[in-house]
Amino acid sequence: MSAPRERAAPATGEPATRRRFLTWLSRAFLGLWGLGAAGVVGAYLRAPEHREKVAGHLVSAGLLDDFKIGEGRLVRHGVSPFYVVRLDAERVVALSAVCTHVRCIVDFDRERRVLVCPCHDGRFDLAGNVLSGPPPRALPTYAVSVRAGEIFVHL
Ligand code: FES
């Protein structure tokens, strides 16, 4: 058998330059792919922490002084609208505005201090408990805090 022939670089050096360029280009693409893969892995590893922040975020519902006692106000928060109701001088409650029957948005009846669903007349008290109608379970409630006169709801 004969030894493999080595190619001699032509006098112009063009193939060696092209080979070097292709090697550099391959390494550059491999490097970019590696950075992308590292980004995907990093995002995957960070995801639970991010979900906790989303699940536990605070939503400002306005200033306490802007709510009259007994007033309930609908806060449109994406797919999770909720009511904030000022019970007395200090107590404020927040509860979901989405009926647990077939997800209609409930209304606040200030006179009776209840939440009424317009779809099938389901009724809830201000603790979210079902008073009457077809809703199968209570409305979810949320923790509320007042800081510097501003109402925050913990969703
Ligand atoms: S959707 Fe609310 S009672 Fe039916």
Side-chain angles (χ1 to χ4, degrees):
M1 296 192 75
S2 65
R5 274 195 255 158
E6 289 189 21
R7 274 200 211 159
T12 60
E14 194 172 314
T17 303
R18 186 171 42 195
R19 185 176 306 130
R20 242 183 279 134
F21 172 73
L22 289 174
T23 301
W24 176 86
L25 193 62
S26 299
R27 288 180 180 161
F29 278 123
L30 194 60
L32 287 174
W33 181 85
L35 285 175
V40 168
V41 169
Y44 174 76
L45 294 176
R46 274 197 318 258
E49 182 182 323
H50 178 67
R51 262 186 253 130
E52 284 171 15
K53 283 181 185 171
V54 169
H57 71 287
L58 293 177
V59 176
S60 173
L63 297 175
L64 181 63
D65 288 344
D66 292 344
F67 281 77
K68 295 177 187 139
I69 292 175
E71 180 183 353
R73 198 177 293 170
L74 178 65
V75 177
R76 298 179 192 282
H77 184 70
V79 295
S80 307
F82 58 89
Y83 273 96
V84 173
V85 182
R86 184 172 184 182
L87 300 176
D88 55 34
E90 295 174 3
R91 291 184 308 146
V92 177
V93 294
L95 56 167
S96 173
V98 181
C99 183
T100 56
H101 184 218
V102 282
R103 302 187 58 79
C104 291
I105 302 301
V106 298
D107 296 322
F108 178 64
D109 182 337
R110 185 176 179 172
E111 299 296 315
R112 294 186 178 91
R113 293 173 65 101
V114 294
L115 293 155
V116 181
C117 181
C119 293
H120 309 102
D121 203 31
R123 290 170 188 261
F124 303 88
D125 66 16
L126 293 182
N129 300 312
V130 178
L131 297 174
S132 64
R137 59 188 175 281
L139 292 173
T141 58
Y142 306 112
V144 175
S145 58
V146 179
R147 296 180 195 165
E150 188 172 359
I151 301 167
F152 290 97
V153 177
H154 304 246
L155 295 181

